[in-house]
Amino acid sequence: MTIPQNHPRYKTLIVREYLAKMVDKGLVDQTGLISHGRGEAFDYLMGEKTLMSSFKAEKVAAAHLLKARKPLICVNGNAAVLGAEKLIQLSKLIPAPIEINLFHRTEARIDKLIRYLKSKGGENIIGNLPTARIPGLEHNRALCSETLHNCDCILVPIEDGDRAEALVKMGKTVISIDINPISRTSRAATIPISDEIDRALTNIIQFVKNLKGKNDEIDLLITSFSRDQNRRDILAEISQFLRSQ
């Protein structure tokens, strides 16, 4: 269908249509459409903009990615197709590999997503040859590479809560992008970012560029951040926005 650019929900509708096409191509599982719709609902509660507390968390996330010895970006189908170009840009800036990890896993779908990211310019894309497991998980998201098993900092956009919890238990710094600030993922992550994926990646990329080489500022950002306070601030900002309506 043709969506007029002056439609008030133009961007939202374009993303919905794109995700539906990616389901047809076998890149996104149909349940991913439900997940995306849930995220849209929370974005409405935020006024469809990056909140100040989210902005702060994104800066701290950039600091952690630059500080890490073995950083990794790990994505599912939704994240891969919604943020391909910016995920690839970020992976080259840090630098860090991108690993595909799926709940509804088939080797055919993994291969399609790897080819898709490579077609967008991705270089170090992994996930099709799992040689390790994440302890405590019984489903397919336990399957992972040695790279994931050994990483010290991992960015997980649009994550499953149980896997986020398992990664934290492994001692990793877990940076989540989950627009729902009260999800299990947001409650478990070391640095929970409550923001829409495109906005979040745009901000993290800019912060990575700005912070490179500024080791003292990086250390201060990391040590002064409070996950629990940040989540409380997010909820306060959402409440303030709703009261303003």
Side-chain angles (χ1 to χ4, degrees), residues 125-234:
I125 315 295
I126 58 177
N128 58 332
L129 297 172
T131 55
R133 293 187 67 90
I134 299 170
L137 298 181
E138 300 300 326
H139 52 71
N140 283 337
R141 297 208 78 181
L143 299 173
C144 68
S145 68
E146 293 292 339
T147 301
L148 185 149
H149 211 265
N150 296 330
C151 74
D152 58 343
C153 179
I154 182 168
L155 171 65
V156 285
I158 316 178
E159 177 65 4
D160 287 339
D162 57 346
R163 197 177 76 117
E165 291 169 350
L167 291 168
V168 169
K169 287 179 182 177
M170 291 176 73
K172 303 183 187 304
T173 297
V174 177
I175 302 166
S176 66
I177 301 176
D178 186 335
I179 201 163
N180 177 0
I182 57 175
S183 69
R184 280 188 306 154
T185 299
S186 295
R187 287 185 279 120
T190 316
I191 312 295
I193 297 170
S194 297
D195 202 357
E196 184 267 336
I197 185 171
D198 184 69
R199 296 196 303 261
L201 291 173
T202 299
N203 293 335
I204 294 170
I205 286 167
Q206 190 58 53
F207 283 131
V208 166
K209 291 178 179 178
N210 294 343
L211 288 171
K212 272 198 170 182
K214 299 178 181 178
N215 295 334
D216 290 343
E217 185 176 356
I218 286 171
D219 289 341
L220 181 60
L221 284 165
I222 290 172
T223 57
S224 62
F225 182 78
S226 168
R227 175 192 66 185
D228 294 337
Q229 184 60 54
N230 190 263
R231 285 185 61 247
R232 285 193 291 270
D233 291 343
I234 288 284

Side-chain angles (χ1 to χ4, degrees), residues 73-77 79-80 87 98-102 117 141 155 157:
I73 299 170
C74 191
V75 299
N76 63 11
L87 287 165
I98 298 176
E99 178 161 339
I100 308 295
N101 180 278
L102 305 176
L117 289 175
R141 297 208 78 181
L155 171 65

